[in-house]
Amino acid sequence: MPTKYNFEEIVSHLKSSGYVYQGSEIYGGLSNSWDFGILGAALKKNIKDLWWKEFIETSPYNVGIDSAILMNTKTWEASGHLKGFADAMVDCKECKGRFRADKLIGDATGLSAEGKTFEEMDKMIEENNIVCPECGKHNFTNARAFNLMFKTFIGTLEDAKSAVYLRPETAQGIFVNFNNVLRTSRKKLPFGIGQIGKSFRNEITPGNFIFRVREFEQMELEFFCKPGTDLDWYKYWVDTCYNFVRRLGIKEENLRIREHDKEELSFYSKGTSDIEYAFPFTDWGEVWGIADRTDYDLGRHSEASGKELNYLDPETNEKYIPYCVEPSVGVERMFLMICCDAYDKEQLSEKDERIVMHLHPAVAPVKACVCPLSKKLSEPATALFRDLAGEFHCEYDEAGSIGKRYRRNDAIGTPFCITFDFDSETDGCVTIRERDSMEQTRVKIEDVKQYIKERIAF
């Protein structure tokens, strides 16, 4: 395992450089609420754009939708979220601290409590003499269910009839639109429906910066196929998702695919795998989950709504409920993985150290920065900047020495700095300095745009 940088150091850099801000900071903040700054918003957009292009636009199988956050409450009854979407919660009787039981057990012992009953978790807490991480006392309530959905109301009256929920996942918006997509897209199996959108979970113990938050974005795909072919497609999507992460430049030694044991699987799942990353705050953390969900979701909604969610095979005239393979990834977790993997400090000489974000050029918030060597060159350098800015996110910087400008751009992950010098007006060339190698190449001004475009392609 490669050396990990201190997580607080990475978080501090992301905050100070404009990637992430504390939510509601001028009012003292809001617990586990984060705003994405000028660089963070661009990085998130790039991540989502790449996912959409890879899994929707260029896929021969998939189409995309954008479903509503608020849905009929019967949706969550059918999916099981109203009764079963809960974490095991315990309270410390001494300091009144509230904790997720499985996380409390895992942090204290390294043991997994996944799939354990409340009684089994209580026994693990007692047998291992686990103490409260806040007050150090061993005095907990019994584990009990805590529903993770945020509740709100539609209309002027706050009663049971007007209650609705902020969706805890985007997937159900896909399942309830299965017939609509099938009818309007004229797709044949196998095909997938994907979307990117906000989800909300009232986590008991959010934390580790943006790794576990209450408001987040998901990139989800529900891939429908004929029963009996599902395990092949399950393997296909595990491999496809892993290869996508690797193409983002994530180091192979920091990644693993962990297939769930039978004891961990949901009762309806034939297989589930997590793509995990070695985050600085833990050994491994889940980033992308891929699950074979069989016909459970369409079957439940068909039963609850009374609407047939079937597929009629045009070749065999056979009617059946398709099986579904679900690759689901959180934008914030992918964002954090990319930043942790990219962050680096390099000692260039005894007195010269640089912070550099080795971001894949395709996701880097800023692709290039035009740096005139002197303010006297502002006019032609600005003309170059405007030409490039029409193609990709480019910045212009004429403040400070050229060395300091290079360091500023290294620290935010800009792949290329373009220096417009006094020779540029006579030889028609600029110097392009590459972030990772720091090598410098002389390029004709008319070729700069193509030079950069070729190197930021995904």
Side-chain angles (χ1 to χ4, degrees):
M1 189 72 65
T3 302
K4 297 180 183 178
Y5 288 103
N6 181 277
F7 187 53
E8 293 305 317
E9 179 183 339
I10 298 174
V11 171
S12 176
H13 178 68
L14 294 177
K15 289 179 178 179
S16 63
S17 59
Y19 274 93
V20 184
Y21 306 139
Q22 174 65 58
S24 311
E25 186 172 12
I26 64 170
Y27 292 106
L30 178 65
S31 176
N32 205 243
S33 172
W34 304 99
D35 297 331
F36 288 83
I38 52 177
L39 296 176
L43 176 55
K44 280 187 74 176
K45 182 180 184 302
N46 292 341
I47 291 170
K48 291 184 288 185
D49 286 349
L50 287 176
W51 184 91
W52 191 264
K53 183 176 182 180
E54 184 79 9
F55 287 84
I56 306 299
E57 288 183 350
T58 62
S59 170
Y61 305 110
N62 305 327
V63 294
I65 66 168
D66 184 5
S67 65
I69 289 174
L70 299 178
M71 303 180 70
N72 190 306
T73 303
K74 292 179 181 179
T75 302
W76 308 114
E77 293 174 358
S79 66
H81 282 83
L82 275 183
K83 287 186 177 180
F85 192 63
D87 277 341
M89 178 178 67
V90 296
D91 293 336
C92 174
K93 294 180 180 179
E94 302 292 333
C95 70
K96 311 306 179 186
R98 181 163 285 179
F99 309 97
R100 223 176 73 189
D102 61 332
K103 188 174 188 303
L104 185 73
I105 293 166
D107 290 346
T109 68
L111 300 173
S112 173
E114 193 164 356
K116 300 292 185 183
T117 65
F118 292 165
E119 292 76 15
E120 289 172 330
M121 291 187 194
D122 291 338
K123 187 176 180 181
M124 293 177 76
I125 291 172
E126 189 62 34
E127 290 180 347
N128 290 281
N129 196 34
I130 295 173
V131 299
C132 173
E134 293 184 2
C135 71
K137 302 293 181 63
H138 173 72
N139 191 9
F140 294 101
T141 62
N142 290 333
R144 63 196 187 280
F146 176 80
N147 194 286
L148 301 178
M149 288 201 294
F150 283 101
K151 188 176 184 179
T152 187
F153 299 90
I154 284 182
T156 57
L157 298 177
E158 294 189 5
D159 56 23
K161 292 182 180 179
S162 64
V164 291
Y165 298 87
L166 301 184
R167 66 183 180 195
E169 62 180 30
T170 63
Q172 300 307 318
I174 294 175
F175 295 128
V176 300
N177 277 296
F178 176 78
N179 279 348
N180 289 331
V181 174
L182 190 62
R183 173 176 55 84
T184 54
S185 71
R186 301 173 64 210
K187 281 284 188 181
K188 296 180 180 179
L189 286 187
F191 74 92
I193 308 172
Q195 73 169 324
I196 301 173
K198 287 273 191 178
S199 294
F200 306 84
R201 296 180 185 178
N202 192 16
E203 296 281 0
I204 301 168
T205 52
N208 291 322
F209 192 37
I210 60 172
F211 180 80
R212 189 181 299 279
V213 288
R214 295 186 173 101
E215 175 187 348
F216 56 98
E217 284 189 276
Q218 288 180 293
M219 303 182 293
E220 286 198 303
L221 176 69
E222 307 302 330
F223 188 80
F224 302 101
C225 59
K226 185 176 182 178
T229 67
D230 49 302
L231 287 176
D232 290 334
W233 284 112
Y234 165 67
K235 183 180 184 307
Y236 170 86
W237 287 113
V238 170
D239 292 341
T240 299
C241 295
Y242 181 82
N243 290 336
F244 180 81
V245 173
R246 286 286 293 123
R247 286 174 59 202
L248 289 171
I250 305 302
K251 301 178 188 70
E252 190 172 11
E253 61 266 30
N254 285 338
L255 291 170
R256 75 174 184 182
I257 298 172
R258 187 183 73 85
E259 186 153 13
H260 288 206
D261 296 330
K262 287 185 178 180
E263 295 74 22
E264 297 180 76
L265 293 177
S266 301
F267 68 91
Y268 52 77
S269 176
K270 288 174 64 177
T272 298
S273 290
D274 293 335
I275 298 174
E276 298 182 334
Y277 179 79
F279 287 100
F281 54 82
T282 184
D283 287 337
W284 297 99
E286 177 194 343
V287 175
W288 206 326
I290 303 95
D292 181 342
R293 298 178 64 89
T294 64
D295 61 357
Y296 173 76
D297 300 283
L298 290 181
R300 286 292 298 125
H301 285 298
S302 180
E303 179 184 348
S305 67
K307 308 292 184 183
E308 284 193 359
L309 300 178
N310 297 323
Y311 177 76
L312 180 62
D313 192 314
E315 296 181 2
T316 65
N317 211 34
E318 180 185 5
K319 183 185 285 188
Y320 52 82
I321 296 178
Y323 273 29
C324 176
V325 177
E326 177 191 76
S328 176
V329 59
V331 177
E332 286 77 9
R333 288 197 182 183
M334 184 168 282
F335 180 110
L336 188 58
M337 172 185 68
I338 288 170
C339 289
C340 287
D341 211 67
Y343 181 84
D344 195 11
K345 288 193 298 187
E346 295 179 356
Q347 196 71 40
L348 303 178
S349 66
E350 187 177 343
K351 296 183 179 180
D352 188 10
E353 181 183 71
R354 71 165 183 163
I355 292 175
V356 55
M357 295 285 283
H358 296 287
L359 297 168
H360 190 295
V363 296
V366 181
K367 308 303 184 190
C369 182
V370 176
C371 304
L373 204 57
S374 166
K375 291 184 179 180
K376 295 178 181 179
L377 300 168
S378 293
E379 187 175 340
T382 299
L384 174 60
F385 161 74
R386 288 174 177 166
D387 183 46
L388 299 177
E391 292 290 333
F392 43 78
H393 190 171
C394 184
E395 290 197 349
Y396 182 89
D397 188 357
E398 61 180 18
S401 69
I402 192 66
K404 288 183 179 179
R405 283 180 272 176
Y406 286 162
R407 292 293 179 270
R408 283 199 294 266
N409 280 281
D410 290 342
I412 65 172
T414 306
F416 303 101
C417 283
I418 304 165
T419 304
F420 199 104
D421 56 34
F422 289 103
D423 291 332
S424 299
E425 293 188 296
T426 56
D427 68 4
C429 296
V430 290
T431 299
I432 299 182
R433 184 252 195 191
E434 200 272 334
R435 176 198 63 207
D436 295 336
S437 66
M438 294 183 287
E439 292 180 355
Q440 300 188 16
T441 305
R442 200 73 176 162
V443 178
K444 287 188 175 296
I445 292 174
E446 61 265 28
D447 296 335
V448 170
K449 187 185 296 184
Q450 187 61 30
Y451 181 96
I452 301 294
K453 285 176 68 175
E454 289 176 358
R455 286 159 178 78
I456 65 174
F458 184 68

